[in-house]
Structure formats: structure tokens, C-alpha cells
Amino acid sequence: MSSSKFPIRKVAVLGAGVMGAQIAAHLANASVPVILFDLPAKEGDPNGIVNKALEGLRKLEPSPLATKDRVAYIDAANYGTDLARLAECDLLIEAIAERMDWKHDLYAKVGPHLAPHAIFATNTSGLSINELAGALPAPVRARFCGIHFFNPPRYMHLVELIAQKDTDPALLDALETFVVTTLGKGVVRAKDTPNFVANRVGVFSVLATMAHTETYGLGFEVVDALTGPAIGRAKSATYRTCDVVGLDTMAHVIKTMHDTLPDDPWHLLYRTPPVLAGLVAQGALGQKTRAGFFRKTGKEVHVLDPGARDYRPSTGTVDPAVAEILALKHPGEKLARLRAHAHPQAQFLWAIFRDLFHYCAVHLAAIADNARDVDLALRWGFGWAAGPFETWQAAGWKDVAGWLAEDIAAGKTLASAPLPAWVGQGPAAAGVHTPAGAFSAAEGSFRPRSTLPVYARQHFPDPVLGEQWPAGTTIMETPAVRLWHLGDDVALLSFKSKQNTIGEDVLDGVLAAVQRAERECSSLVLWQTREPFSLGANLSSVTPAVQAGRWSDVENVVAKFQQAALALKYSLIPTVAAVRGMALGGSCEFILHCDRTVAALESYIGLVEVGVGLLPAGGGCKEFAVRATREVARGAVGSQLDQFPFLRSYFQTIAMARVAKSASEAKEIGYLRDADIVLFNPHELLYVARATARGLAESGYRPPLPARGVPVAGRTGIATLEMMLINMRDGGFISPYDFEIGLKVARVLCGGEIESGTLVDEKWFLDLERAEFMALLRNAKTQERIAHTLKTGKPLRN
């Protein structure tokens, strides 16, 4: 079996629970047809259980579906009447409850119906893959492995793949290729040990945190304040994460560790803490029962007080002295200060880091191939900014190892196991991450990254500590932008501003870069070295001119914005926008003007100017007005009045400041075109964008001609859109000032107060949108909105 040539046309998912249904949804997002199985319903439609799960997918937020129509590509089936359909599938993913006996029973039922070539994978979060394989016939065992998605599957980057002793290595390579490119995931190959890598370390970290919460007498909300973004962890921190996961699920995972790891030095810790067991016994299972460690009472969040056995207002905060230590930039100084400080919060933080490092060092050889896999698993699966080994090494490997040894000897750690010898001697004595690779404790050597061909598509993989990728060759550079290449004639343009915002210096850089690329390169890709793609115009850069009333200076900047967008559109070489993350306001207008866009699925694109009391004036309104006309022409509709349905849709998009919740939805809205590409792995974005740019260049590219003879909706269109706005205002959906802004958007999209059907060109729309933009900017209410947004990061509805 070739690792890159295993076609997966259809997938079956066995189990329509929370994980099974959402795995099916993500497969459908990737245009992979899915059959979702579950038990036949006892009454009514035999597929009732699955149909209920599919209906639930439509209601979940954040949505597991890239677009609502994706659910139509999931077929409902049941084990009673539809097992023969399994033969249609190239991959089966089992995702039923974590019961070994239930899984064995299901395997016996489905085994005879599998296609001879099909891959069979279990989504178990921690059961033994070898033991599960024992229930399968020998020919199927060669095609059986573990595939552990993290919840929610669409958004969590990590997937663990786990072989058992009979798994065909080529099969695992083929599955990894599919998971990486088609589903967009980061794969870690885990060993077949309980809870694998991420959950093994992550759940230990939770248990250690719970133990030290009690030791240092801290409130649950205080611990969450300490163990979230303050130390580079997810916003949900510790106890809120438990509530989200489900306290019954947490108890089950802990029990699995207790039952399967009797010889582990930390075995005494693998017990459900009494407070957690008590909540489960009461049916307070977290978010799904609206009560767990936290409970929402009205608009207030209350936290459990275990002493009082009741909830109280959540008021705990981080001590100022501890906050000051956490603000230190150097990890070594930070850990040293926490260790030395007497405050319980500081001692608590040092303890959870210390015990985490201790645990990972002792278990590295058993649970993972190398330290990089541990670090990436915790980053991708638990949302940590840095993995445990990265944090340790960044703080000073030898210093931290010495502190650990001292605390182990003093009996302060949660287990008395000594640090393994490799920590202080041999090739890893100075750290586990080097440019040559990451340390494998089992092999006693450093392991490079995978050479699987799929990874050649990642020019800049997610780096761990010590890894640096080639920076490319600079063509030209200003303080605001860099034009560079990766050894060929495809130019790459990247912004250097904070959040990649667009000020006049960036506009100057774009104009200069396009001119330079036209002379020296075959094509140009607009790509940012870090997310977001861009938060749009840098409003703070024009605020002084606005406050001083230098309106001509401001209008010149707006005109330059339009020039930069047009330069991207009418360049003599093809331009491609490579988008990931937020792409708002002016950056969305740049996307609209590029010849093609290649967007990662998790791209959130939108024209949001109305939120700050403005309208799109970098050519965004112009593009939508022209596209509405062209969409009518494509449909061979004769009257210019027939453009109105398209125009109304674009008007609503701008007037409501709509942001697409995925790149796929951006196509539905109109921010992306049918020819634009949506891919799933953001690390493959630049590879695909460069290939797209080369393909356009090699096709004999010529820029489009500026639109002429565009029929406008004029006064008739404006009047119709105004009636929509009146209804929205009178219904309380928009404010009176929103009405004024919306009316100006309507005037621009409809071509102004002229007769319907009048023919205009692009310049007409550009002049109109710039004039209406400046009129809004002069309004005190718009200035209030801008000031409020710059100060708070939130919109103001005045």
C-alpha cells in the first residue's frame, strides 16, 4: 500500500454520540461523504437516534459544521438494517462509549461487513488498542488502529494515531496523510499506553492541580485565574475545562488511569477527588447539567464552595505580587521567583509546574516517541502556548532539573520517583530540543521530524523550542512590509505591523511591492507569517488627523487604500491572498481584489466597518456592486432590475457587518468566489497558495479589464433598501445612527441618486464610497464609535 495513494471516498462513523456526530460533521466539512450509524430506535423511525444527533449538529455553537448544508452529506443508518452499507466505506471510525465489552460486541457485529481494503479505527480516548484488536479476525487486525480526535473535532488540531502490534505501517502512513491534508489535523503517533499522550499528561496535570488546590487552600475560581492565560493555558483553565468536558467523563478517564496503571509512581493520585465524586453523585456534571464547579445564576457566575457545600459569587483574583511575577518575560526568572515566594498562590504555581516536569521526565520513554510529540500534543490538544518540555528547557534545563531533584529529595513532590538518568547526563543533559531533533528517551537519541511526503507541503510547520525555519530571501523591505521569496520567482508579501493592521506605511509598502514584483517575479502571494491575516485598517494611525480636522490628509489615505487594492487587482502578474484567522475590514477588501484566494477553513472574513460607524471604502462596496451586475449577466437575465436580489444580499452583508464563521461560509456570503480554494490544514496554506500563483502565471495570465458600463439600481434601489432599514430601525434591530450608516451603504451600492439603469464605471463607485466614508468620518457619532473600539476592543451602538 502506497502511503500517499489510498483513496478514501466514503467513511462510516459508528456511534452518533457527541464525538461520533461531530467527527462525521468534520468529515462532511471536508467533502467526504459519511454514513453515521447507531442503534436502531426502539420506537418510530429506526434511524431516530442518528437523526436526533444530526439535528443537534445544526444547533451547536460554535458550530461543528463549516456551513449548515454540510449535514446533508451525512447519511443516517442503524446496525439493525444497514450493516451491508459498511462495504461502501474505505474508512470506519468507531466512536461509541468507552466500554471494552461494548466495543468488542460491536466489532463482532460489523466485522463481516467490512470491505477487504477498509481501514478500521477506534476513537477511544485511552483504552488499549491491542486489547481492542483482539476481538477482530487476523486479516482485519492488520487494518486496525487508534485514531483519537479531541473535542470539538472541527476546532482542535490534535489527532493521535496509535498502532497495535499487527497494524500495517503503510496503512498508518496512509491514514496520517488523509488526516493531515484532508481533515487539516496535526498528528502525533502515540504509543499504546493508557490515555495515550495528551490525555495522560493533561489529566495528570488536572489531578495535580486539584491536589495542590486543596494543599494551598485556594478557591476554584482563583485556581482558574492562575492556570489560564496567565500561564499560557486555555481561557477555560482547569475547573471550567472540567465542567466543559463533563465531570462524569473526567471521573471515567481518572478511573481508567487508576485501573490500568497500578505500578505507576503516581498511582495514589489516580483517584477521583472527593469533591469531584460528590458532584457526580449529585448529578452536577458540569456544563451539560448547568452546574459543576461553576454554576450560572442569572447573569452571574457562582463557584462551588466545598466547605459550605453550596455556590457563592465568584470573586477570587490573582494576588498582585504573584501577577507581577507572572508578567516577567524570562521563564527561568519566573519559575525561580515563584519557587522562592511565600505566597500560597506562588507556591501552588511552582508545585504544578514542578510535578508536571517530574511526571513527563519519568514517563517520556513509555508514552511517546520523543519530547516534541509530548509538547505538540499538549499544545494542540489542550490549547497550551508551550508544552511541558519547552517550558522546562526555556527556563534553563539544568537549573530546573536541580530544583526538581531538591524537591524530590525533600519529599515535596507528589511521587518519590527519581528523575531518570538522561535528564542530567548523556545527549539530553542540556535539554530535549535541538535543531537536530527532539530527544527520544526510549532510544537515547534525537529524532528528526517525520519524512512522510505529506509534510513536504508544510513550508513552516508549527515549531517547537529550538526549531527555526529558513527565513527566505528578501527582495525588498520597509519598516511596514517585507517582499521575499523561497528560492523561486513567486514573490511573498508579508506585513510587519501589530496584528498585521493596515496603515499608510503598509499601503506604501503594498504599492512598492507590487511594482517590484511585476518587474522581477512571476506572481505574488499575500501571506502573513503569523495570524491573524489582518484586523483591517489601523484606525489609530489616522486619529490625530481626524481630531485636528485635517480632512484632506485623511481622504488621501483613503484614496491610497483604493489604489493599493486596485494595484493588487490589475497587477500584470497574478496575485493570490493566502488567508488564515481573522481577515477583517480593509484586509477583506484586499482579498476581494486579488485574483484568487486560498483560505484555511478556520478563516473568519468580514467587512466590519459599519461597527465603527464607517463603510468599506477600499473598493469593497465597488466590488460588491460590480459583482451583483456580473452575477445577473451570468444568469442571462435581461433587466438591470434583476440585479437587486444580489445587491440586497451584499447590502445586508455590509450593513450587518457580517463575519463568516468559516472559509466555506465566506464563499456562501460572497467574500470568496467559487474558484477560490478552501483547505483544511493552515500549515499547508503557503504551499497551495504558491502553487496556485504559479499555475495562474503559467497560463499566460493577463489582468482583468476595469469594469465599464455597469448598470446601477439608482434611486429605485436606494428607496427599496431604505424601506428595509426603516423596518429594522422601527423593530428595534438597529439604532437610528445605524440607519444613517446603512442608508449611505445603500447609496454607494446602488450607484447614488441617479436613474436606475444608468451606466457607470468603477471610478464612479470608488469616488462615491470615498465621499460617503468621509461624510461618516466627520460625524461625531462615528468618532465616538472609533474611540470606544480603540479603547475597549468592542463596538459601540450609539
Side-chain angles (χ1 to χ4, degrees), residues 135 170 351 366 450 457 524 533 642 665 701:
S450 170
R457 296 167 58 88
L524 183 146
F533 180 74
D642 292 317
E665 188 177 72
Y701 174 83

Side-chain angles (χ1 to χ4, degrees), residues 46-245:
N47 293 329
I49 293 173
V50 175
N51 287 330
K52 183 178 179 181
L54 296 179
E55 189 59 35
L57 291 175
R58 295 184 175 94
K59 300 174 183 176
L60 278 177
E61 287 295 337
S63 178
L65 300 164
T67 55
K68 295 299 183 185
D69 70 334
R70 292 286 96 183
V71 76
Y73 298 92
I74 306 173
D75 290 347
N78 69 83
Y79 305 130
T81 60
D82 301 318
L83 285 176
R85 295 202 64 189
L86 292 173
E88 304 171 21
C89 300
D90 307 296
L91 169 64
L92 289 85
I93 299 174
E94 171 268 303
I96 69 169
E98 292 288 84
R99 284 272 303 267
M100 185 72 72
D101 54 340
W102 291 0
K103 290 179 187 289
H104 279 178
D105 289 346
L106 179 62
Y107 295 0
K109 185 180 296 184
V110 303
H113 300 277
L114 305 184
H117 69 282
I119 300 173
F120 188 14
T122 173
N123 183 58
T124 179
S125 59
L127 297 180
S128 168
I129 307 301
N130 278 284
E131 190 174 346
L132 286 168
L136 294 166
V140 178
R141 285 202 295 271
R143 308 194 307 274
F144 182 75
C145 64
I147 180 171
H148 181 210
F149 289 83
F150 279 68
N151 191 21
R154 171 184 162 184
Y155 299 98
M156 297 307 292
H157 191 57
L158 178 64
V159 168
E160 293 173 319
L161 291 184
I162 312 99
Q164 38 86 24
K165 62 184 178 63
D166 295 318
T167 303
D168 179 355
L171 173 144
L172 211 61
D173 288 347
L175 186 57
E176 181 166 353
T177 299
F178 173 79
V179 170
V180 169
T181 289
T182 305
L183 302 185
K185 299 304 177 184
V187 168
V188 166
R189 297 274 187 110
K191 296 185 178 183
D192 187 19
T193 56
N195 290 358
F196 312 130
V197 179
N199 276 349
R200 177 73 175 271
V201 176
V203 172
F204 165 81
S205 180
V206 170
L207 288 171
T209 299
M210 289 180 171
H212 291 306
T213 298
E214 184 175 357
T215 298
Y216 293 100
L218 302 179
F220 300 133
E221 84 277 32
V222 173
V223 170
D224 273 11
L226 290 167
T227 59
I231 59 170
R233 305 267 177 94
K235 188 176 180 181
S236 55
T238 301
Y239 291 101
R240 281 185 178 84
T241 295
C242 291
D243 276 355
V244 171
V245 169

Side-chain angles (χ1 to χ4, degrees), residues 141-411:
R141 285 202 295 271
R143 308 194 307 274
F144 182 75
C145 64
I147 180 171
H148 181 210
F149 289 83
F150 279 68
N151 191 21
R154 171 184 162 184
Y155 299 98
M156 297 307 292
H157 191 57
L158 178 64
V159 168
E160 293 173 319
L161 291 184
I162 312 99
Q164 38 86 24
K165 62 184 178 63
D166 295 318
T167 303
D168 179 355
L171 173 144
L172 211 61
D173 288 347
L175 186 57
E176 181 166 353
T177 299
F178 173 79
V179 170
V180 169
T181 289
T182 305
L183 302 185
K185 299 304 177 184
V187 168
V188 166
R189 297 274 187 110
K191 296 185 178 183
D192 187 19
T193 56
N195 290 358
F196 312 130
V197 179
N199 276 349
R200 177 73 175 271
V201 176
V203 172
F204 165 81
S205 180
V206 170
L207 288 171
T209 299
M210 289 180 171
H212 291 306
T213 298
E214 184 175 357
T215 298
Y216 293 100
L218 302 179
F220 300 133
E221 84 277 32
V222 173
V223 170
D224 273 11
L226 290 167
T227 59
I231 59 170
R233 305 267 177 94
K235 188 176 180 181
S236 55
T238 301
Y239 291 101
R240 281 185 178 84
T241 295
C242 291
D243 276 355
V244 171
V245 169
L247 302 190
D248 53 340
T249 302
M250 285 297 303
H252 175 79
V253 172
I254 295 166
K255 185 178 186 300
T256 299
M257 295 177 77
H258 181 271
D259 293 347
T260 57
L261 295 166
D263 299 324
D264 191 297
W266 283 266
H267 185 255
L268 290 176
L269 189 67
Y270 303 156
R271 297 175 179 174
T272 303
V275 64
L276 176 57
L279 287 168
V280 172
Q282 296 168 24
L285 306 180
Q287 185 171 281
K288 57 189 171 187
T289 60
R290 301 176 185 265
F293 287 106
F294 294 91
R295 183 179 71 187
K296 197 166 185 181
T297 304
K299 294 186 177 180
E300 292 186 353
V301 175
H302 288 193
V303 63
L304 179 68
D305 183 335
R309 297 186 179 182
D310 200 358
Y311 292 86
R312 58 172 173 76
S314 180
T315 57
T317 58
V318 178
D319 180 80
V322 175
E324 186 178 330
I325 296 173
L326 292 176
L328 294 171
K329 291 186 177 181
H330 192 277
E333 183 182 2
K334 188 182 301 184
L335 287 183
R337 293 272 298 276
L338 289 172
R339 185 171 187 255
H341 203 285
H343 195 284
Q345 291 184 14
Q347 287 297 298
F348 163 82
L349 285 170
W350 162 246
I352 65 170
F353 277 116
R354 175 199 64 208
D355 289 321
L356 174 65
F357 299 156
H358 186 196
Y359 189 86
C360 289
V362 170
H363 287 302
L364 175 59
I367 68 172
D369 180 73
N370 59 74
R372 176 179 52 248
D373 286 351
V374 173
D375 284 338
L376 290 178
L378 271 296
R379 282 163 49 180
W380 294 343
F382 279 75
W384 293 9
F389 287 115
E390 289 178 296
T391 304
W392 178 351
Q393 187 166 329
W397 184 265
K398 293 182 178 180
D399 288 341
V400 173
W403 299 337
L404 290 181
E406 289 176 15
D407 282 13
I408 293 168

Side-chain angles (χ1 to χ4, degrees), residues 367-707:
I367 68 172
D369 180 73
N370 59 74
R372 176 179 52 248
D373 286 351
V374 173
D375 284 338
L376 290 178
L378 271 296
R379 282 163 49 180
W380 294 343
F382 279 75
W384 293 9
F389 287 115
E390 289 178 296
T391 304
W392 178 351
Q393 187 166 329
W397 184 265
K398 293 182 178 180
D399 288 341
V400 173
W403 299 337
L404 290 181
E406 289 176 15
D407 282 13
I408 293 168
K412 295 180 179 180
T413 53
L414 291 172
S416 59
L419 288 173
W422 62 260
V423 171
Q425 60 190 40
V432 292
H433 292 301
T434 71
F439 185 69
S440 169
E443 301 292 333
S445 61
F446 287 88
R447 300 292 291 266
R449 282 184 175 256
S450 170
T451 57
L452 202 61
V454 68
Y455 293 110
R457 296 167 58 88
Q458 299 186 15
H459 293 318
F460 298 96
D462 200 354
V464 295
L465 184 73
E467 286 184 319
Q468 289 187 329
W469 312 124
T473 301
T474 299
I475 301 171
M476 62 156 275
E477 189 166 10
T478 74
V481 306
R482 180 182 179 230
L483 186 69
W484 52 294
H485 65 77
L486 285 173
D488 59 11
D489 61 355
V490 178
L492 310 174
L493 177 58
S494 304
F495 301 166
K496 296 162 62 178
S497 53
K498 184 177 181 181
Q499 300 292 306
N500 298 319
T501 53
I502 306 167
E504 188 172 10
D505 53 351
V506 171
L507 297 173
D508 289 333
V510 170
L511 290 166
V514 171
Q515 291 181 358
R516 183 74 175 269
E518 281 182 327
R519 295 195 303 267
E520 301 179 17
C521 303
S522 69
S523 52
L524 183 146
V525 173
L526 181 55
W527 182 76
Q528 312 298 3
T529 58
R530 63 193 183 282
E531 291 188 28
F533 180 74
S534 171
L535 295 189
N538 182 357
L539 293 174
S540 62
S541 66
V542 297
T543 298
V546 171
Q547 292 173 340
R550 300 199 307 271
W551 301 114
S552 61
D553 291 348
V554 177
E555 186 165 2
N556 287 338
V557 174
V558 178
K560 189 177 290 185
F561 213 123
Q562 294 177 332
Q563 292 164 18
L566 294 176
L568 291 169
K569 187 177 182 73
Y570 297 119
S571 167
L572 291 172
I573 58 174
T575 57
V576 175
V579 181
R580 55 182 173 170
M582 303 293 285
L584 305 179
S587 68
C588 177
E589 293 178 284
F590 279 178
I591 291 168
L592 292 172
H593 285 81
C594 287
D595 294 297
R596 289 286 187 279
T597 295
V598 178
L601 178 70
E602 302 309 329
S603 297
Y604 310 106
I605 304 170
L607 293 171
V608 296
E609 288 85 350
V610 165
V612 290
L614 297 168
L615 55 75
C621 290
K622 176 266 298 179
E623 275 297 298
F624 274 2
V626 172
R627 287 184 186 189
T629 302
R630 288 179 175 166
E631 283 162 359
V632 173
R634 272 205 307 271
V637 180
S639 168
Q640 73 274 2
L641 293 179
D642 292 317
Q643 71 179 291
F644 191 76
F646 300 104
L647 209 57
R648 179 177 57 206
S649 174
Y650 286 137
F651 167 76
Q652 289 172 327
T653 294
I654 294 175
M656 301 305 292
R658 188 177 178 190
V659 177
K661 295 180 180 179
S662 70
S664 299
E665 188 177 72
K667 276 195 172 187
E668 289 188 345
I669 294 170
Y671 292 134
L672 300 183
R673 296 150 295 196
D674 289 343
D676 292 332
I677 297 169
V678 176
L679 56 78
F680 277 58
N681 197 316
H683 299 295
E684 297 182 349
L685 182 64
L686 186 56
Y687 173 89
V688 176
R690 292 173 70 228
T692 302
R694 279 194 298 268
L696 289 170
E698 291 172 5
S699 68
Y701 174 83
R702 288 294 299 176
L705 295 172

Side-chain angles (χ1 to χ4, degrees), residues 728-747:
M728 293 172 72
R729 181 195 62 195
D730 294 350
F733 297 104
I734 61 174
S735 71
Y737 192 52
D738 289 329
F739 173 85
E740 291 182 40
I741 300 165
L743 197 54
K744 289 187 178 297
V745 172
R747 287 181 185 132

